[in-house]
Amino acid sequence: SSIKRPPPSGRPRAAMLLHKLVPLLCLAASAQALMPNTRLVGVPAITPRAGPVVMNSNPIVEFFEKMIPQMRRKPSIEEAIALCRDPESSGCDVDMLEMIPKHRLDLERQAAARMGHPQPTWSEDIDDAVVKTD
């Protein structure tokens, strides 16, 4: 019995060592579960919280934000004339209808000023003279 026998021929020595080492490692790993809590009592554990969901880009809102300034801007005189040319046009509004005669009057004044004809000026004396003759 003092004579050591060689390992069986089918199993090498490293396999036998591994066969004894694996259960030992499993025992050491499971012992961690039995350890007492090491946290200080009264200190709450910090849990990360997710922030609020914020949409960085919303294509529909961006589209309408681009359209609103275009809808609020005043049309040019060329656009007003083009839209109000057709009596059945739905794009012509009252402001455009008022803009066209004012523009024509401005053009007539500019043409008269270029030709040297001063534009008549209004004064209260003229209105008084008209009223007195009636």
Side-chain angles (χ1 to χ4, degrees):
S1 69
S2 65
I3 300 174
K4 292 190 174 184
R5 288 194 283 167
S9 61
R11 289 182 124 171
R13 188 172 195 139
M16 287 180 61
L17 182 64
L18 187 63
H19 185 67
K20 292 178 182 176
L21 190 62
V22 169
L24 183 64
L25 288 175
C26 289
L27 180 66
S30 64
Q32 182 67 28
L34 302 174
M35 292 292 291
N37 192 356
T38 57
R39 253 186 331 122
L40 295 175
V41 178
V43 178
I46 298 172
T47 56
R49 291 170 48 167
V53 177
V54 178
M55 293 183 68
N56 292 333
S57 175
N58 188 343
I60 295 171
V61 171
E62 290 173 2
F63 172 75
F64 283 109
E65 286 176 352
K66 289 178 186 175
M67 292 299 294
I68 288 172
Q70 292 177 1
M71 292 172 21
R72 289 187 181 162
R73 74 171 178 83
K74 291 179 98 176
S76 67
I77 188 66
E78 291 83 15
E79 291 172 339
I81 291 171
L83 288 172
C84 295
R85 184 176 299 145
D86 182 18
E88 296 179 7
S89 174
S90 62
C92 184
D93 61 3
V94 176
D95 293 333
M96 290 182 193
L97 289 173
E98 292 175 353
M99 184 189 312
I100 294 171
K102 288 180 185 176
H103 178 69
R104 288 189 181 143
L105 185 60
D106 289 342
L107 289 178
E108 289 173 4
R109 286 182 184 161
Q110 289 173 1
R114 273 189 251 126
M115 294 176 68
H117 303 290
Q119 197 68 15
T121 56
W122 173 85
S123 73
E124 292 181 18
D125 295 333
I126 295 174
D127 281 348
D128 289 340
V130 172
V131 172
K132 289 179 183 174
T133 59
D134 286 342

